[in-house]
Amino acid sequence: MELNLQKATHEYYETLRFAPFPCETMRENIVPDSCGDIARIVDTTGTVCLTGRELTGDGRFCASGSVEASVLYIPEKEEGPRALHFQIPFQCYGEGQGDASCENLDIRGELHSIDTRVLNPRKVLTRANLTLYPTGCRHVSLSVCTGVEDESNDGIQLLREQKQTRVAAGVKEKEFTFTEELPLSPGRGGAEEILSTRVDVRGTDSKLIGSKLVVKGLIAATVLYREGGGRLSLLQQELPFSQILEGGGFEEECESEAAYRLLSAECRAGTESAPDDACTLTLSVSLRTRVTVWRKLEVAFISDLYSTAAPVNCQMEELSLSEDSQQSIRRQNVRELLETGVAVKSVVDTDISCGAASLSGGEWRIPVCARCLYIDENNLLGSVHREFSVSIPAELEGDGMECTAEAVCHGDVIANIMPEGIELRFPVECTVSASSRRRYLCVSGGERSEEPQEKEPAPSLILRKMGPGETLWSIAKQYRATREGILSVNELTEESQITPDKLLLIPRARG
């Protein structure tokens, strides 16, 4: 006869991480008629703005957007550098990596390389290589057995366990635009041309307050511009922002994490009320914030059962839970020399970008690209790039741990002019998330069978020791006794009082 099992259902989301996929895009661009012919290319920078993401019907990922490119060049017969600004659109697919059950798809874009070559004095070809990292969520409806109806009447004995796991309760998203007026330093010339704009967005706080999700962060803006006399100037500012998202349906003790995706960034001279004000810049940034809400889930289940009245056949299934979730931040101070081949007079701008971190040989390995814009001893503008790897020791990660890490350069970049080039000193911050994936066997069903009509008589009382690896439960199950009965007849109160050399009286129970 089939046992009537009680069940509990837990609804939540689990995160999905998929293999990254590459994307290459390029574009030819013509120099405007108002600008002189190109004498030489100095540098090319780009920012990934990923505006479209889709999981197609055949299970592929589709990502679309643009690379906001700035080509810094020296024109013929003109003083000072100029810049070409344009978008390089892209649409690419990750082949065969999708999951039909994926929800809340997110794709992060990382610019791996960008370069420009001159086709003729008035036309350039810019090529960009990206790596796209898709993630998502999958809804989980976990049903586990927690009890048996009328277990006392059938002599049913249950071994219950309870485990705690950290799960995603849901994901909320919101797109918003941030606009700020940036006054230039007094006494400096106004901005005649914006040469490049970099935007770095990082979250500083995320919390659930009542039915609202409140997120805060900083936008680090770096704007390189040319003054009227041809002199180069750099404006760097950190701008705080905050946003409120709907957070109804979540419990207040939930935790939340916010991530940000850049949709567009633009900086121009002037303001809305004073378009010709060259001493004030206006920065406009469009962002998507993605907030994942986490909660702790207590999962109680039956890991074993038997009956003192009759034999029981159990059906078992595997329960996989993520446990011991923890997050830590590792910091590493880096010193690297960028050889220029010429003597450097001054450093104009520096930029450090970190790629995806990977765990190998007990270390987190982080690809880093360092870029320096400088003026040499002949007062010529030049740039130097270098790619290298930074290693940070892994601490808590080990066998059986699921680990992810994201590295950034948050902090001052110090540039020292050396005889060989430019020495950069900067910090790398690596945020490591780790958890253990543990698997448990739990009861999913059971049938009680009839006792054989003819069987050998069994003694009603047994005397034995507890063997290696045995538990009070396993002994009670073997003789269809109860743990409580064994403890009582041996005048014990708990299992820890049983020593390997102690003889136990085991009364056989009858349902």
Side-chain angles (χ1 to χ4, degrees), residues 486-506:
I486 296 175
L487 290 173
S488 176
V489 77
N490 288 276
E491 298 182 346
L492 302 173
T493 57
E494 55 186 33
E495 184 174 350
S496 60
Q497 295 176 292
I498 303 175
T499 59
D501 58 346
K502 182 174 180 58
L503 286 171
L504 294 176
L505 290 172
I506 304 173

Side-chain angles (χ1 to χ4, degrees), residues 206-218:
S206 175
K207 62 178 61 176
L208 184 66
I209 303 177
S211 62
K212 303 295 181 181
L213 282 165
V214 180
V215 297
K216 298 179 181 180
L218 289 173

Side-chain angles (χ1 to χ4, degrees), residues 185-355:
S185 301
R188 302 298 297 267
E192 185 173 281
E193 182 182 5
I194 305 296
L195 298 178
S196 68
T197 302
R198 291 199 313 276
V199 171
D200 178 38
V201 184
R202 62 186 175 100
T204 56
D205 193 20
S206 175
K207 62 178 61 176
L208 184 66
I209 303 177
S211 62
K212 303 295 181 181
L213 282 165
V214 180
V215 297
K216 298 179 181 180
L218 289 173
I219 295 176
T222 303
V223 183
L224 178 67
Y225 63 95
R226 178 172 52 83
E227 298 180 6
R231 183 171 61 177
L232 297 180
S233 292
L234 194 70
L235 175 67
Q236 294 179 303
Q237 285 197 16
E238 283 194 340
L239 309 168
F241 68 88
S242 62
Q243 285 290 308
I244 298 177
L245 292 78
E246 289 298 326
F250 300 124
E251 300 173 356
E252 283 206 29
E253 58 268 21
C254 290
E255 302 173 348
S256 62
E257 296 175 356
Y260 298 90
R261 304 290 177 248
L262 187 65
L263 303 180
S264 67
E266 179 190 19
C267 187
R268 58 181 175 83
T271 65
E272 186 175 351
S273 59
D276 298 326
D277 180 9
C279 293
T280 305
L281 307 181
T282 299
L283 176 70
S284 295
V285 179
S286 292
L287 297 169
R288 178 192 301 117
T289 178
R290 175 185 175 89
V291 183
T292 304
V293 180
W294 299 91
R295 68 184 177 95
K296 292 181 179 178
L297 176 65
E298 300 285 347
V299 180
F301 58 93
I302 305 172
S303 59
D304 198 6
L305 68 80
Y306 67 94
S307 172
T308 60
V312 173
N313 296 319
C314 289
Q315 290 86 51
M316 309 295 290
E317 64 182 8
E318 189 176 76
L319 175 64
S320 177
L321 298 176
S322 178
E323 300 178 16
D324 302 327
S325 297
Q326 51 194 309
Q327 192 175 81
S328 60
I329 296 177
R330 321 281 167 76
R331 292 179 177 87
Q332 180 89 336
N333 292 321
V334 181
R335 183 174 65 181
E336 199 71 24
L337 178 67
L338 278 60
E339 297 181 353
T340 57
V342 296
V344 176
K345 182 178 179 180
S346 63
V347 175
V348 178
D349 186 22
T350 59
D351 180 32
I352 305 294
S353 60
C354 299

Side-chain angles (χ1 to χ4, degrees), residues 8-12 142 144 146 161-167 251 253 295-301 319 321-323:
T9 302
H10 304 280
E11 305 284 343
Y12 59 92
L142 176 66
V144 291
T146 58
E161 292 190 49
Q162 183 166 301
K163 303 296 178 181
Q164 186 181 85
T165 183
R166 184 173 182 260
V167 298
E251 300 173 356
E253 58 268 21
R295 68 184 177 95
K296 292 181 179 178
L297 176 65
E298 300 285 347
V299 180
F301 58 93
L319 175 64
L321 298 176
S322 178
E323 300 178 16

Side-chain angles (χ1 to χ4, degrees), residues 25 40 69 81 130 146 300 356 378 412:
T25 182
R40 66 182 176 91
L130 297 76
T146 58
N378 299 315
D412 295 332

Side-chain angles (χ1 to χ4, degrees), residues 131-142:
T131 303
L132 302 169
Y133 298 86
T135 58
C137 293
R138 175 169 55 204
H139 179 259
V140 175
S141 181
L142 176 66

